[in-house]
Amino acid sequence: MTARLADIAAQAGVSEATVSRVLNGRPGVAAATRESVLAALDVLGYERPVRLRQRSAGLVGLITPELENPIFPALAQVIGQALTRQGYTPVLATQTPGGSTEDELTEMLVDRGVAGIIFVSGLHADTSADMQRYDQLRGQGVPFVLVDGFSPKVRAPFISPDDRAAMGLAVTHLVSLGHTRIGLALGPKRFVPVLRKIEGFQQAMRDRLGLTPEETEELIQHSLYTLEGGQAAATALIDRGCTAVVCASDMMALGAIRAARQQGLRVPQDVSVVGFDDSPLIAFTDPPLTTIRKPVQPMGQAAVRALLEEIGGTPAPPSEFVFLPELVVRGSTASAHGVQPRGRASGSAGSGGSGGSAGSAT
């Protein structure tokens, strides 16, 4: 017990006597000090005494499309931790092929009396989907926040990465390495993030290489957000003479690397590959993946903050909060054959994904 008190006291930066007072529920301890001691308990893995455990302020649903792509568990972890810190209990609901749909999961969560729901990459990102389902949810008095996607038909807070800026970072990096034949591999065209990435890609190709949108058409290949999808898209782009491929997810980028190797090409010596997300462990692939880091931490925290404002009855005006991504340069990009790079950056560069900026979408 003495060793435990000493550990907690050192972690919290207080005396053992103060730790003892907090654990025994005695008065005379400042609220901030009490919180520091409780946080130290959590960090060190000790269970809080039953009388000190925070009662749940309610359940909050988190609906994700899948968990196979590591970016979704990463985002779920940030959101779950932020909710728990505010006293809420997160309930993760995941769609599976042939399993529950978003509407069925929503109904299940509403039946369980959730205080609110956070949707990640849901039907709100699909331009072909009926947005009335969100109006009906609001009519039931359930607050919600939508992450990754946007629809002007839905009055709610939206949280998104700046997909257009992300493509600008990727293209600028590759052009600085001497690449002029740059391909874009992404998912189905009906999704808002896909459309925005295309816009950003075409604008960057115009700004950096003077290509018109018509001239970039054959450099864009739609597929699925999977390793196999990335492999298929990259194979087509390499066959069209691309020396670099920008992918809309890290999983697709791993597929692009496989596609290059199947054609006897080396990454990055023959083909450069850029991913998107900076998923956990992606820095340890072979080669380590150059990617666009999605600002998961600030996006997840902003989603929780916006939802709690909705739950508290003080919502901000419906708008989209857009967070800036960051280019992380690793080992999957290199100079095009026979071309000297124009001041290649080392480490990471970009628009500061750690903080992000928020504002209404244009």
Side-chain angles (χ1 to χ4, degrees):
M1 182 62 183
T2 303
R4 187 175 75 164
L5 284 177
D7 290 342
I8 299 169
Q11 178 69 33
V14 299
S15 69
E16 291 182 35
T18 299
V19 173
S20 179
R21 296 182 73 84
V22 172
L23 295 182
N24 289 297
R26 294 175 187 160
V29 181
T33 303
R34 188 179 300 275
E35 284 302 315
S36 295
V37 172
L38 295 178
L41 281 173
D42 298 338
V43 169
L44 294 172
Y46 294 125
E47 285 194 18
R48 296 187 182 191
V50 174
R51 63 179 170 275
L52 298 179
R53 292 177 192 167
Q54 190 175 29
R55 294 189 62 187
S56 174
L59 304 176
V60 169
L62 172 61
I63 300 180
T64 64
E66 51 147 319
L67 292 177
E68 290 183 3
N69 185 333
I71 199 63
F72 292 123
L75 190 55
Q77 183 177 26
V78 171
I79 290 173
Q81 288 175 341
L83 286 169
T84 302
R85 281 196 296 270
Q86 297 299 322
Y88 288 85
T89 302
V91 179
L92 180 61
T94 304
Q95 301 175 60
T96 53
S100 299
T101 64
E102 180 181 310
D103 290 337
E104 290 168 342
L105 293 174
T106 301
E107 184 179 356
M108 176 195 75
L109 291 169
V110 172
D111 288 345
R112 280 160 178 74
V114 293
I117 301 175
I118 296 175
F119 295 86
V120 177
S121 297
L123 291 169
H124 63 280
D126 188 339
T127 57
S128 67
D130 184 358
M131 296 298 153
Q132 286 189 347
R133 53 176 47 85
Y134 299 110
D135 292 335
Q136 292 169 1
L137 184 60
R138 184 167 294 284
Q140 293 174 283
V142 180
F144 59 92
V145 172
L146 304 158
V147 180
D148 265 350
F150 177 77
S151 172
K153 300 176 183 177
V154 181
R155 289 181 56 79
F158 288 87
I159 310 292
S160 303
D162 193 331
D163 290 298
R164 298 182 184 92
M167 294 301 99
L169 291 173
V171 170
T172 299
H173 170 60
L174 292 169
V175 170
S176 75
L177 295 174
H179 294 277
T180 57
R181 191 78 175 164
I182 302 169
L184 175 63
L186 29 63
K189 196 171 183 178
R190 68 179 188 274
F191 294 109
V192 171
V194 171
L195 294 171
R196 289 177 169 181
K197 284 184 176 71
I198 292 174
E199 290 174 14
F201 177 76
Q202 291 181 328
Q203 184 62 51
M205 294 293 276
R206 180 193 290 274
D207 293 344
R208 302 297 174 186
L209 297 172
L211 298 179
T212 66
E214 292 74 25
E215 290 172 318
T216 60
E217 281 295 325
E218 67 167 345
L219 302 176
I220 299 171
Q221 184 65 43
H222 295 278
S223 187
L224 300 176
Y225 280 111
T226 61
L227 191 148
E228 293 79 12
Q231 182 177 350
T235 297
L237 291 169
I238 291 171
D239 286 345
R240 294 173 201 157
C242 291
T243 62
V245 179
V246 180
C247 299
S249 77
D250 290 339
M251 294 296 285
M252 293 188 80
L254 295 181
I257 293 173
R258 180 193 283 182
R261 287 174 174 166
Q262 282 195 340
Q263 297 195 35
L265 301 172
R266 299 164 301 163
V267 176
Q269 293 88 342
D270 302 313
V271 178
S272 286
V273 176
V274 178
F276 184 92
D277 283 335
D278 197 25
S279 311
L281 302 181
I282 211 67
F284 305 102
T285 57
D286 180 25
L289 188 66
T290 293
T291 189
I292 302 296
R293 178 177 293 155
K294 192 173 192 174
V296 169
Q297 193 81 23
M299 283 179 60
Q301 292 171 345
V304 170
R305 198 158 51 244
L307 183 68
L308 296 187
E309 289 174 354
E310 294 273 317
I311 292 172
T314 56
S319 59
E320 183 179 27
F321 301 94
V322 180
F323 290 80
L324 294 174
E326 179 183 0
L327 172 68
V328 182
V329 179
R330 297 195 181 104
S332 64
T333 51
S335 301
H337 272 316
V339 178
Q340 290 295 318
R342 304 181 212 168
R344 178 181 180 178
S346 61
S348 65
S351 306
S354 59
S357 66
S360 299
T362 55

